[in-house]
Amino acid sequence: MHMSATLVFKALADPTRRAIIDLLKEQDMTAGDIAEQFNMKKPSISHHLSTLQTAELVLSERNGQHIIYSLNTTVFQDIMMWMMNVSGKENEK
């Protein structure tokens, strides 16, 4: 995998970050749009988004005054391939 599996699994371990990923599966969103879906302050949402970006699970793109967040589906594909290879090796034993 080209990204750190540790960072990916750490990011996915948090239920709020998994909920953010679920939201982004439906559509790209701004941090404000995401924050409206949760009962927490915007700096907390920013921290979660930063963690997801560090793990390369979420991409961001500036659009005028807004930053639009989207899923990085390539990383999810890489994770699935890695997991299939790990489980395939387990079956060989």
Side-chain angles (χ1 to χ4, degrees), residues 4-21:
S4 167
T6 302
L7 290 175
V8 170
F9 291 118
K10 177 184 173 192
L12 293 174
D14 185 276
T16 300
R17 290 192 283 270
R18 291 193 306 270
I20 291 170
I21 287 169

Side-chain angles (χ1 to χ4, degrees), residues 3 6 11-13 19-20 27 31 38 40-43 46-47 50-51 58 65 72 76 78 80 83-84 87-88 93:
M3 76 314 214
T6 302
L12 293 174
I20 291 170
Q27 65 182 358
F38 297 92
M40 62 178 65
K41 298 193 184 304
K42 288 183 181 180
S46 293
H47 172 75
S50 176
T51 301
V58 169
Q65 293 183 344
N72 183 0
F76 286 100
D78 290 349
M80 293 307 298
M83 291 178 78
M84 289 171 57
S87 65
K93 292 182 180 178

Side-chain angles (χ1 to χ4, degrees), residues 9-78:
F9 291 118
K10 177 184 173 192
L12 293 174
D14 185 276
T16 300
R17 290 192 283 270
R18 291 193 306 270
I20 291 170
I21 287 169
D22 283 339
L23 288 172
L24 293 175
K25 280 193 306 193
E26 301 298 322
Q27 65 182 358
D28 297 352
M29 302 174 83
T30 66
D33 294 337
I34 293 167
E36 288 176 5
Q37 306 298 313
F38 297 92
N39 186 21
M40 62 178 65
K41 298 193 184 304
K42 288 183 181 180
S44 294
I45 293 296
S46 293
H47 172 75
H48 287 298
L49 287 168
S50 176
T51 301
L52 290 167
Q53 284 184 282
T54 299
E56 298 181 25
L57 293 167
V58 169
L59 302 172
S60 64
E61 183 178 326
R62 182 165 290 283
N63 185 356
Q65 293 183 344
H66 301 283
I67 297 176
I68 308 297
Y69 293 90
S70 61
L71 283 184
N72 183 0
T73 55
T74 303
V75 172
F76 286 100
Q77 291 169 351
D78 290 349

